[in-house]
Amino acid sequence: MNSFPGLKTLVLALSVACPLPALAIGSVTNGGVTFGYTQDFGTSRGNTVNADFTGAAAGDQLYESWWFFRVQGDRQEFAFGTPDFEDYTLHGGSVGRLDWLDPSGTGDFSARLGFEVRETAPNQGVVFQNLQITNTGLTDLTIDIFHYSDLDLGGSFGDDEAVLVSNPNAIELALSDSSAMAPLVGYQADHYQATTWRSLLNDLTDRNVDDLDDTGAPFAVGSGGDFTGAFQWTRTLGVGATQNFLVQFGSDTAPLDPSMSLVPEPGPGVLAALGLMGLASYGRKPRR
Ligand SMILES: [Ca+2]
Ligand SMILES: [Ca+2]
Ligand SMILES: [Ca+2]
Ligand SMILES: [Ca+2]
């Protein structure tokens, strides 16, 4: 799949130097609150990744939480697959990081996902997730990024509702059921959509182009539906430019000010950090 021999060799060498967990899963914890990926990323391409959010309200409030991309010209959206690097030990184990050197297999961009769990009070907490995209190609990169969430409040998918909340810096949904509430925030997002499972997931995993259409909220309680929601951003990055995509969700608490988040971390993108800028221009494959 990888058409860059030099990059592949370097990735292999770095992987040997920093062996990955056998199942490529892990979690971050702060106080009594834990966020983690529970499914081998290798099985996620074309779908999404199971996740847990525990210690904030009763049970596990989260079924899936994952990211998708579509580069201009692609004929469908793609899930981010197995990362090249993983780290769940940053900031005392409350911050983790996944890196992809070339998630599209075309050399167009690299990606770094930072995620942070924060206990805000006993049995309350939030999770920040920041996806950082760097244009590693030779031309402008126009890319759509999607963040998909399947939250199940009170540990069950039944009777969850959602309404839009005014937020000048974000698209914000307030989820609730009889036992819990949860904010879901996409900062600077262009569009959102909410549907019952698995209409939205089908759109993000089928073989055609879909854009979110700003529908689905209010999501009615009592419908028996299983709430799922997503945010979409469309951005154009110049050569070498980096763009951040930030989301936050929480449980039984208001969202924190995003400036309090430890992600994104300051500093250069993953390829720049590795001194690989320009290497990705070799062996470009035609677009899918
Ligand atoms: Ca779960
Ligand atoms: Ca529920
Ligand atoms: Ca699609
Ligand atoms: Ca749900």
Side-chain angles (χ1 to χ4, degrees):
M1 289 292 287
N2 195 316
S3 60
F4 324 134
L7 183 59
K8 189 173 186 177
T9 303
L10 181 60
V11 169
L12 187 62
L14 290 170
S15 298
V16 170
C18 315
L20 299 175
L23 290 175
I25 57 177
S27 63
V28 291
T29 298
N30 180 234
V33 182
T34 295
F35 169 74
Y37 298 110
T38 62
Q39 180 188 28
D40 183 352
F41 293 110
T43 64
S44 71
R45 194 160 177 91
N47 197 326
T48 181
V49 172
N50 289 356
D52 285 354
F53 181 44
T54 55
D60 172 20
Q61 299 261 80
L62 184 61
Y63 183 58
E64 292 180 318
S65 177
W66 201 234
W67 297 82
F68 297 78
F69 65 88
R70 187 183 69 227
V71 176
Q72 188 173 56
D74 283 347
R75 299 191 195 105
Q76 67 175 86
E77 299 74 43
F78 295 93
F80 282 82
T82 305
D84 297 299
F85 304 102
E86 300 170 71
D87 190 343
Y88 301 91
T89 66
L90 305 169
H91 294 280
S94 66
V95 173
R97 195 167 73 201
L98 307 177
D99 287 343
W100 293 264
L101 295 174
D102 181 20
S104 67
T106 63
D108 285 342
F109 68 97
S110 65
R112 164 169 287 181
L113 175 60
F115 43 94
E116 174 192 7
V117 66
R118 185 85 67 94
E119 182 182 63
T120 53
N123 301 313
Q124 298 179 11
V126 301
V127 173
F128 287 103
Q129 298 177 74
N130 185 76
L131 184 68
Q132 191 174 70
I133 300 291
T134 298
N135 178 357
T136 56
L138 297 175
T139 58
D140 285 357
L141 171 72
T142 297
I143 189 168
D144 284 276
I145 296 294
F146 301 82
H147 183 267
Y148 171 81
S149 300
D150 185 349
L151 287 154
D152 294 338
L153 299 197
S156 72
F157 66 77
D159 288 333
D160 291 354
E161 68 176 345
V163 295
L164 280 169
V165 174
S166 176
N167 185 326
N169 301 313
I171 298 176
E172 179 171 344
L173 291 162
L175 281 61
S176 62
D177 78 356
S178 58
S179 63
M181 55 81 71
L184 176 60
V185 192
Y187 294 94
Q188 315 300 335
D190 297 315
H191 299 287
Y192 86 98
Q193 194 168 339
T195 74
T196 189
W197 188 87
R198 70 169 265 158
S199 170
L200 192 50
L201 187 58
N202 284 349
D203 283 344
L204 291 171
T205 56
D206 63 11
R207 291 178 173 273
N208 59 29
V209 169
D210 289 287
D211 290 305
L212 305 189
D213 66 0
D214 300 315
T215 63
F219 189 87
V221 69
S223 66
D226 176 358
F227 169 90
T228 67
F231 300 114
Q232 178 179 1
W233 300 256
T234 305
R235 296 290 185 271
T236 297
L237 287 68
V239 175
T242 292
Q243 175 81 48
N244 292 299
F245 303 87
L246 179 68
V247 299
Q248 179 182 189
F249 66 81
S251 181
D252 289 343
T253 184
L256 294 181
D257 188 293
S259 67
M260 296 178 67
S261 174
L262 298 172
V263 293
E265 295 179 86
V270 54
L271 276 192
L274 291 171
L276 289 173
M277 293 301 293
L279 185 61
S281 63
Y282 288 98
R284 292 173 63 84
K285 292 193 295 191
R287 291 232 60 83
R288 287 174 288 266

